[in-house]
Structure formats: structure tokens, C-alpha cells
Amino acid sequence: MTAIVANAPNFLINSDYPMDKVVFQLSGSRSMDGSTYFSIPHGLPFTPLVDIIWSYTPDFSISYSANAGPAPASVPGYVFDLQLTCDADANLLYFNALGPAAAKMVYYRVFGFQPDDSNASLPSTVSAADSFVINSTYNYAKLFTAGHVSYASGTNVNLVVPHNLGYIPQVQVWRKSSTRTGIIAVSGDDPSGLWQIEITPVSLVMTLSSLNNLSSGTLYYRIYLDK
Amino acid sequence: MATYPEQFIINSDFATLKNDSVAVTATVTVPASVVVGPNGSAEWHQDITAGSKGAALRCRIRSSKFGGRWLAAPQVSFTRNGSQGTYTLVAYVYLLSPGVIRCSVSVYSAYGVNMTTEAGTEVIDFSVSTFIPPFA
């Protein structure tokens, strides 16, 4: 690894590597229970790579990532009392809540990145709510590589993306299946039937040994220099 | 004014994610042979100092019973074998309160009788980076 790459994580910002640009933001609230499902237009000319944070309070003092929520659940058989996901297609964001929780106000925040296979022109997302676009108090994750890999239908998927950084970097992966793209927020072992999103010092390994015939799809990944 | 964000290394027209905690680690040890009541659960955790209100998370989690392999997600799920059959072990990360991230490990039993979890302790390691998303 070159000296530039080896030392890049030591910088708050490094002009050799792109900084994350949040091209989409949405916040809202809605009363939700475990059967809530709704959609909202995102207005982008592509399917964004979105992530969601949600909370039962408007100040987000206790907050959860996609597919997670308060635990243990109030009813046996569930892990979380409520879990919320957000997927996207070319036009809409889809919100899906699952769990035994009774209806309660849920506050959510969704932000998104532009996938590597889009080069669209976009309006600014900087707002008065974010006092500083760049603040040297904080680190800014440096994008080492972003891309996508497709897989055919079948029962097993094993996709390897080399990075050769020599350490374990930050990684996020989204899965596009049919028309919808959602972040892979839950990973697991083979018997769980979940995607294994494994990161090693040299590669990103994305594996699924499907218990049922898997439809074709695409995995979008973002590998950062930062640990 | 519209711009092409991904044509720029840095672009001040677009909001950013401020990485306020980088790779903060935690370890949770799951004891061996824990008795879980009917349709019950058991939980262990370690809290770490990280994360502000509404923090976005990038996490890696590994288990000593999964070859020490890092999985990149804020939640991982493993299948284990107990006295009644298979059960689920879930490790996940969330913001417990501003400045405190909880790294939690739970086991869940779907059996209507007592279940004893696997023999041998299991060590779950977490590596958590938190971000301030661009919301008020």
C-alpha cells in the first residue's frame, strides 16, 4: 500500500479521497405499529442508497438503526418490539414497520447517497439546520471505493471485492432486488438465511446461501479508508 | 443551483456526515450454558461513550464462535444450538442516550420450556463509528 493510502485515515479530510455527500434528507413522524407500511416520493432521478434512524422521541435521544428497535419484544417470538426499514426504488421511499408494538408516534430521519452508477445533477442539500458543512472538530470518512456487483438468480451468492488496505475499514452495503434498494443492516451466519457482509483486511466478502431460490440482484458497496 | 456531487472530492453544496467517534470498541462475553425460561430471553451488554442524538452508525461485529470474522452491520444474528434445539443470538448496537452507545447481545428461545444455551462462552466484539447526520 502506498504511503498516501496508508496515512490517509490520519486526516480529517483528504482531498485524495471523496467525502460522503448526503444528496437526500427527509425527516418526519407517523403513528406506527407493527403493520405500518407507507411510501413517500423522494424526487431523485435515481434510486438512492438510503439509511434510516428512528426514535420514539422527537429529540432522538434514544435511537435505532434500520431493522432494530427496543428489545426484548413485548411478545415472545419477536426480537424487537418494533423495527423499521426504509427501502427505495426509482420514485419512492418505502417504510415498513414490523413487531408486536402497539401504535405509537415514531420519528424518522432518512438520508441517502448517490450510487456509483449515477452521475445526475442534484440540488444542494445544505440547510440552515446544519450550521457547518465542514467542521474540523470532526472526522469525515474518506471513501476509498464505491461500486456495485450483480448476481444471478440461484441459491448461493459469493461476491468478493478486494480492497487490500491491510486493516478492517468502515463498510456499508445495500442490496437491490427487483426494483427496490435497501441497506443491509442485519448480517448473519449461514443457517440464519441472512446476508454475510464480511470485511477482512484485504476484501469485502458478500455471501448468501439462500434457503429458497434467490432472485437476481445487485449489491452496492462503499468502502472507506477509515476504521 | 444544481451540481454534480460525485464529480467533486469535496462539495460544500451537500450536507455531510460528521464522524464524531471512530472505531470505538466493546466486548460482551456470553456465558456458557445459560438457562433461558419458556419463550424467554437473556441479555448482556457493554456501553461505550460515543454517539450524539440520532447518531448514524457504522458497525462491525464479530463472534469467537464465528471464527472471529468481522461482519459489517449494526446488527448480526447467529444460529446456535441449545438443549431444545436451535435458537437465535442477536448482537446489535443502538443509541441508549446521548453520548452512550449500547452494544447488546441477546438470546431468544421459542421453546415453551426451559432451554439451556450452548456450552462454551462466546465473546462478541463490537467496533462502532458514529456520525452526526445533517438534521436539526
Side-chain angles (χ1 to χ4, degrees), chain A residues 5 7 21 29-30 41-42 57 66 94 109 127-128 144 153 164 174 180 184 214 217-218 226:
Chain A
V5 174
N7 291 305
K21 302 167 197 70
S29 62
R30 183 182 287 227
H42 55 67
T57 59
Y94 298 89
R109 290 171 171 170
S127 70
F144 177 63
S153 60
N164 296 311
W174 288 258
R180 294 203 194 170
I184 298 179
L214 182 69
T218 301
D226 309 77

Side-chain angles (χ1 to χ4, degrees), chain A residues 20 25 122 124 132-133 197, chain B residues 3 8 13 16 18 58 72 134:
Chain A
D20 281 332
Q25 296 161 252
L122 300 169
S124 171
F132 295 91
V133 178
I197 307 299
Chain B
T3 55
F8 296 85
D13 285 339
T16 57
K18 298 173 177 64
R58 285 179 196 159

